[in-house]
Amino acid sequence: MTELKLVALDDEDLAIISAHMQDSVFKVGDIDWSPRDAQFALAVNRFVWEGAERKRRGFERRRAALVFKRVLAVRSLGIDRGKRDEVLSLLALRFEQKGEGPDGTVELSLSGTASIALDVECIEVQMADIGGAWEASSKPRHR
């Protein structure tokens, strides 16, 4: 399977990245917020959904980076930054526009009651596989 590299500049693009990032897992310590650079980044273990439907067994995960640019502020709920080894699961990315302009809030919905909200000037997101693939023990399931 080839490595994925995607860019989102609008809500429709973000929905595509969200679909590829669904069920990614990461540790709290893999979150990086740089106010100086106006950048928020996550290093995740992404479930390879684009290959899951073709396979009957041998599902894959890949190391991936998810980078949000032009981030003005970050808020989180249900995350203890002191627990750097706690594992979180990303369920979806959503954008809520503020008024008429391109600014708004990107919400990272996480499993349980956790979430991260990014106030952004506009949608500018990059997602890229950055490492090799390995076999996943199972395919994620949802109710």
Side-chain angles (χ1 to χ4, degrees), residues 34-112:
S34 174
R36 183 181 198 182
D37 297 326
Q39 183 171 289
F40 179 88
L42 286 176
V44 304
N45 295 335
R46 179 178 79 81
F47 185 81
V48 182
W49 281 107
E50 63 272 20
E53 298 308 318
R54 294 190 303 265
K55 294 185 176 190
R56 297 180 202 271
R57 62 175 204 254
F59 302 112
E60 292 180 352
R61 283 199 180 268
R62 285 184 176 268
R63 192 70 171 158
L66 182 63
V67 180
F68 297 84
K69 299 193 177 198
R70 303 172 76 126
V71 178
L72 304 171
V74 176
R75 297 179 309 283
S76 64
L77 178 67
I79 299 172
D80 183 346
R81 294 286 305 195
K83 296 182 179 177
R84 296 183 53 79
D85 287 331
E86 182 177 8
V87 176
L88 302 171
S89 179
L90 179 63
L91 300 178
L93 303 171
R94 294 184 189 87
F95 178 70
E96 187 173 319
Q97 190 172 356
K98 233 194 234 179
E100 299 293 320
D103 58 325
T105 301
V106 175
E107 180 190 1
L108 288 76
S109 296
L110 308 174
S111 58

